Amino acid sequence: MRFIDEFRNSAAGQGLAGRIQEKKTRPVNLMEVCGTHTVAIFKHGIRQFLPEEVNLLSGPGCPVCVTPNTDIDKAIALAQNAGVILATFGDMMKVPGSYSSLHQVKATGADIKVVYSVLDALTIARDNPHKSTVFFGVGFETTAPTTAGAILEAERLGIDNFFFLSVHKLIPPAMRALLDADEVHIDGFICPGHVSTIIGSQPYEFIPREYDIPCVIAGFEPLDILQAIDMLLEQISAKEPRVDIQYRRAVRKEGNPVALKHLSTVFEVTDACWRGIGSIPESGLKLSQHYKRFDAERAFKIDIGPSKEAAGCRCGDILRGVATPNECRLFAKACTPENPVGPCMVSTEGSCAAWYLYGGEGKALSPLGEPQ
Ligand code: SF4
């Protein structure tokens, strides 16, 4: 298949759904750990095509959602520094921190610019030599290489007013943390396609090896997801857990060596704090010694008060897969995409936003095309 509509072919989708139905599996929980998968599952109504024994759970796959309030508070504090331009992605603007949001402080005069890429932030720094530009870039292994590239470029160009507030996170350690916490039974992982284009399949090998749990790296079209579910059920029924790659058109076992080289040049692995989960060993990236001068936390004094969560918000439970959005009493009442209380309702990849937009089962009448 070469074109996107082929990956949305209704007849092929029905065929895959039929195969899954025929498998007559025991009850299983399959977790996706990628916000793009979460949205695709709702958007294409994938759940409607699964037997009731196959339950899909959303995990901590939305980078905006897993960023804890402490880090959002730091970004807000930096933005309130008169000498700073804070550059960030649009999704971060409305995410509530402990006391306000970037959107709110921008309204009071903070110099915040929405960018589409870290390279836009670098351009802002170059065009504004009398101010410091801080890039607040959330993201997983997918976006971290471009941040690394921008820092290498800043060094090459001798740009000394560009800084980075590092909140990049790594997915496989979060999967281990969920398994070790054992709050929710997971029978298989739908592994993130984008992240895996960078890291390949090897970093997930510990999951079948140590936990006997199958993994399939999946693409984002309806047929990709249905095929990945079918492949997971095959592994479960054969009791032969391993890491399979369904998304072969983009993911290689060894990942992307150039991107990985950029990452290891600029960053070191460090412990990181995740919303709802807490500190996870070796799940974040910090600037390596040679690039420390780009570290916003070293360059600026950042004073934040004690962080706190919005009362009643269950984003943490949702990110751990122990609750669904409709189990939050604020869902679709006090909390809507127009007035979000928590990040899972703000982000386009958030579970609450997807649930609100498409309903719990998704709104598509078939896995083909757009929702009806
Ligand atoms: Fe938080 Fe809103 Fe989701 Fe409830 S519905 S968990 S308040 S984001």
Side-chain angles (χ1 to χ4, degrees):
M1 291 194 280
R2 288 185 303 143
F3 301 109
I4 201 157
D5 55 346
E6 296 173 287
F7 292 94
R8 298 179 179 181
N9 181 284
S10 186
Q14 297 289 352
L16 273 169
R19 269 177 66 114
I20 292 169
Q21 296 280 354
E22 282 166 16
K23 288 227 156 60
K24 304 215 179 310
T25 178
R26 64 175 168 81
V28 291
N29 287 327
L30 308 181
M31 175 178 274
E32 88 273 356
V33 276
C34 171
T36 313
H37 278 147
T38 302
V39 173
I41 286 165
F42 282 102
K43 179 175 175 180
H44 297 294
I46 297 290
R47 288 166 190 237
Q48 296 174 21
F49 294 88
L50 302 178
E52 63 181 23
E53 289 81 9
V54 177
N55 182 36
L56 297 185
L57 298 171
S58 299
C62 158
V64 171
C65 308
V66 300
T67 303
N69 275 2
T70 328
D71 289 333
I72 295 164
D73 295 343
K74 285 180 191 168
I76 290 170
L78 279 165
Q80 289 173 315
N81 182 324
V84 165
I85 300 170
L86 190 97
T88 192
F89 299 130
D91 264 7
M92 291 312 296
M93 293 298 291
K94 281 173 82 176
V95 180
S98 301
Y99 305 97
S100 61
S101 66
L102 289 170
H103 189 69
Q104 286 168 325
V105 295
K106 183 175 170 66
T108 62
D111 196 350
I112 303 174
K113 300 205 187 308
V114 172
V115 293
Y116 292 103
S117 148
V118 61
L119 294 174
D120 295 341
L122 194 58
T123 303
I124 291 168
R126 214 168 35 187
D127 293 346
N128 295 272
H130 303 301
K131 290 187 91 170
S132 298
T133 296
V134 177
F135 177 62
F136 178 44
V138 301
F140 299 126
E141 292 94 331
T142 329
T143 45
T146 48
T147 304
I151 287 167
L152 291 170
E153 184 69 355
E155 184 180 54
R156 188 182 73 80
L157 296 172
I159 297 175
D160 59 5
N161 64 330
F162 177 69
F163 301 93
F164 172 55
L165 181 59
S166 182
V167 287
H168 283 316
K169 292 185 169 47
L170 306 174
I171 284 284
M175 295 164 82
R176 183 188 283 281
L178 286 183
L179 292 170
D180 287 344
D182 204 19
E183 285 184 293
V184 57
H185 183 78
I186 299 169
D187 297 283
F189 278 112
I190 301 172
C191 296
H194 295 144
V195 162
S196 305
T197 60
I198 305 298
I199 65 173
S201 58
Q202 191 279 333
Y204 307 107
E205 294 285 353
F206 73 92
I207 299 174
R209 189 176 61 241
E210 297 178 31
Y211 298 89
D212 282 335
I213 292 177
C215 294
V216 174
I217 297 168
F220 300 98
E221 294 303 325
L223 296 194
D224 290 322
I225 296 169
L226 286 170
Q227 188 179 27
I229 292 168
D230 188 48
M231 291 165 75
L232 280 171
L233 295 180
E234 288 276 3
Q235 288 194 44
I236 291 168
S237 107
K239 297 193 174 62
E240 289 174 358
R242 61 183 176 275
V243 182
D244 281 341
I245 304 175
Q246 180 281 330
Y247 196 27
R248 290 197 170 275
R249 62 190 186 279
V251 175
R252 287 174 295 175
K253 194 168 190 284
E254 69 276 17
N256 181 328
V258 176
L260 290 171
K261 175 95 176 26
H262 275 29
L263 283 182
S264 62
T265 301
V266 173
F267 293 114
E268 287 172 10
V269 172
T270 185
D271 299 350
C273 186
W274 295 57
R275 183 187 297 273
I277 303 176
S279 179
I280 302 179
E282 301 189 344
S283 69
L285 294 173
K286 66 176 180 182
L287 289 162
S288 59
Q289 196 57 39
H290 180 76
Y291 297 96
K292 279 275 184 258
R293 69 185 172 88
F294 295 102
D295 185 349
E297 293 197 65
R298 275 174 59 133
F300 301 93
K301 190 170 180 312
I302 305 175
D303 280 328
I304 56 169
S307 76
K308 57 177 185 159
E309 300 294 325
C313 175
R314 296 194 66 188
C315 277
D317 293 340
I318 289 165
L319 291 166
R320 297 196 311 281
V322 301
T324 52
N326 61 331
E327 293 176 282
C328 172
R329 63 186 167 80
L330 305 183
F331 177 75
K333 299 183 184 91
C335 183
T336 63
E338 291 73 36
N339 293 298
V341 174
C344 299
M345 188 60 93
V346 178
S347 172
T348 50
E349 296 195 337
S351 292
C352 298
W355 199 286
Y356 185 91
L357 208 56
Y358 300 115
E361 293 293 306
K363 282 187 178 162
L365 295 179
S366 82
L368 175 70
E370 299 298 313
Q372 308 298 305

